[in-house]
Structures are given as structure tokens and as C-alpha cells.
Amino acid sequence: VNEGSRIRVLGKRTANSPGSTSQEIYLRVRLIPHSVFQRKGNDLYINVSVELTTIILGGTVEVQTISGESVQLKIPALTKQDQLFRLKGYGMPVINQLKNKGDAIAKIEIKLPTKLTKEERQHYQELDRLNKSKA
């Protein structure tokens, strides 16, 4: 269902009251935000944190879907922050169309290191030196 959908629930007739009519109750749907996925129509948006080296060199990352399964997402070399990737058919089901689903949209977040080893620092300094020599 979607936000704001109305669901009709039919009540039962009471056996003791001849000629009584059943009563209806209408429920209005309110969706609670998910902690990982953001829904827009039938599409689901998810932030995917990707290591800096994978962003630069390319590779694959595992993305969890709403159904609990994980899919491999190919990250091209030099992918940019906030770039979007579409995972077709991993979104929410389309109402009254059992076989159709929206898409999952993976938004890339670059995961920067919080600590560097001495060796890592040396490699970054060498990379910095190479970048400065190109200019």
C-alpha cells in the first residue's frame, strides 16, 4: 500500500438483529520511515558507503535489499560522491501488479579513512607528490 491509501474493512451483521446491516470501517494508511530505505513511489533509495580505494580503482560492493537478499553492485573507477545506481526490480511491489516492482536506487557515499598506518600515510604522501608534479 501507499501512504494515505484507504482500506475498507467490512463488519459482521449481528445475528440477533433482523434487518441489520453490516458496518464498514475505513482505515487510512500511514507509513513509518524505515531506518535504511527511503521510499519514493515504488522506488527505494539506499545510501551505500564505499571505500576510497574502490571509488578510485573500481570494484564491487554488496548492497542489502528490502527483501533481505544482497546484490553485487559494480562500482566503476573514479565514481563520484552521490552518484546514483539503479538496481532494477529491487524496489516495492506495484499495487495490483504482482510481478512488477520498483527499483532500488543506490546513492554512493565515499568512506574516508579515519586512521592511517605509517605505510598508508607514506603511500598517500607519494600520491600527493605525484599529483603535484603533474601540475
Side-chain angles (χ1 to χ4, degrees):
V1 297
N2 293 322
E3 178 75 30
S5 295
R6 259 180 25 164
I7 299 173
R8 185 176 76 164
V9 180
L10 294 176
K12 294 183 180 182
R13 291 184 183 186
T14 56
N16 300 352
S17 308
S20 71
T21 60
S22 48
Q23 299 200 358
E24 298 177 346
I25 297 174
Y26 286 92
L27 304 174
R28 176 110 21 221
V29 175
R30 186 172 147 247
L31 300 176
I32 298 171
H34 193 276
S35 61
V36 176
F37 299 96
Q38 181 184 7
R39 184 174 179 177
K40 291 183 184 175
N42 293 320
D43 293 337
L44 294 174
Y45 286 73
I46 181 171
N47 293 333
V48 178
S49 185
V50 182
E51 296 286 341
L52 180 61
T53 51
T54 305
I55 291 292
I56 294 170
L57 302 173
T60 59
V61 294
E62 199 171 278
V63 178
Q64 290 294 319
T65 65
I66 193 80
S67 65
E69 76 178 287
S70 61
V71 293
Q72 295 293 314
L73 175 62
K74 185 177 179 184
I75 305 295
L78 303 176
T79 293
K80 299 196 178 0
Q81 172 80 8
D82 297 332
Q83 187 165 339
L84 302 177
F85 290 92
R86 183 174 302 276
L87 301 168
K88 196 153 182 67
Y90 286 98
M92 296 300 292
V94 178
I95 294 176
N96 299 324
Q97 297 180 22
L98 295 176
K99 293 183 181 180
N100 292 333
K101 288 186 175 185
D103 300 329
I105 311 296
K107 182 179 176 183
I108 301 303
E109 292 181 343
I110 300 172
K111 185 177 179 182
L112 296 173
T114 55
K115 294 181 182 178
L116 294 176
T117 66
K118 186 177 179 181
E119 184 180 6
E120 288 169 330
R121 177 171 291 286
Q122 289 171 346
H123 285 290
Y124 279 111
Q125 287 171 336
E126 179 61 21
L127 182 60
D128 184 48
R129 189 187 64 71
L130 287 171
N131 282 334
K132 287 177 181 174
S133 70
K134 286 194 293 187

